[in-house]
Amino acid sequence: MTYIVNDACIACKYTDCVEVCPVDCFYEGENMLVIHPDECIDCGVCEPECPADAIRPDTEPDMEKWVEFNRKYSELWPVIITRKDPLPEAEERDGESGKLEKYFSEKPGTGG
């Protein structure tokens, strides 16, 4: 099992999760985070830290696409280990549907 970040993170990018991760397996894109599925140790401490409920176990239905999504971008984006402020539109976008199609950016974040 591994944990993944889904589209609920897009346009919010809360980073509370990165501070509790014992193995530094979060990677930062311009407007979301992902988890490297091969680095995640399945401890689950990050899941309750996410205000947007964007971190889910891969054992839930239809998670295969998110495992591959997280794998792809964790190999392209820089690691993030330090908490940052959420995106300015986070409160407004939290809970919105269709964020992958509307807002997702493949650009990397700054990491750190």
Side-chain angles (χ1 to χ4, degrees):
M1 186 178 91
T2 186
Y3 284 82
I4 57 86
V5 179
N6 63 30
D7 57 342
C9 184
I10 298 171
C12 292
K13 199 165 84 170
Y14 294 104
T15 57
D16 308 71
C17 52
V18 303
E19 285 197 315
V20 299
C21 180
V23 294
D24 302 335
C25 65
F26 281 89
Y27 292 80
E28 183 185 15
E30 180 179 46
N31 67 356
M32 78 173 294
L33 304 176
V34 293
I35 295 172
H36 195 300
D38 296 335
E39 296 173 1
C40 177
I41 60 170
D42 315 326
C43 67
V45 297
C46 59
E47 186 180 15
E49 297 299 316
C50 181
D53 196 29
I55 301 173
R56 311 300 310 157
D58 72 343
T59 53
E60 291 184 358
D62 302 318
M63 287 294 145
E64 298 83 17
K65 72 176 183 178
W66 288 109
V67 171
E68 290 313 309
F69 181 95
N70 278 247
R71 181 183 314 282
K72 175 182 178 179
Y73 289 102
S74 65
E75 292 174 0
L76 298 172
W77 294 345
V79 70
I80 178 172
I81 59 172
T82 307
R83 187 185 177 285
K84 298 178 181 181
D85 289 335
L87 295 176
E89 66 270 20
E91 269 188 49
E92 179 186 340
R93 300 280 185 243
D94 191 4
E96 187 176 329
S97 62
K99 295 197 307 184
L100 182 63
E101 297 77 21
K102 290 190 252 184
Y103 308 118
F104 176 67
S105 169
E106 292 188 349
K107 293 179 184 174
T110 56

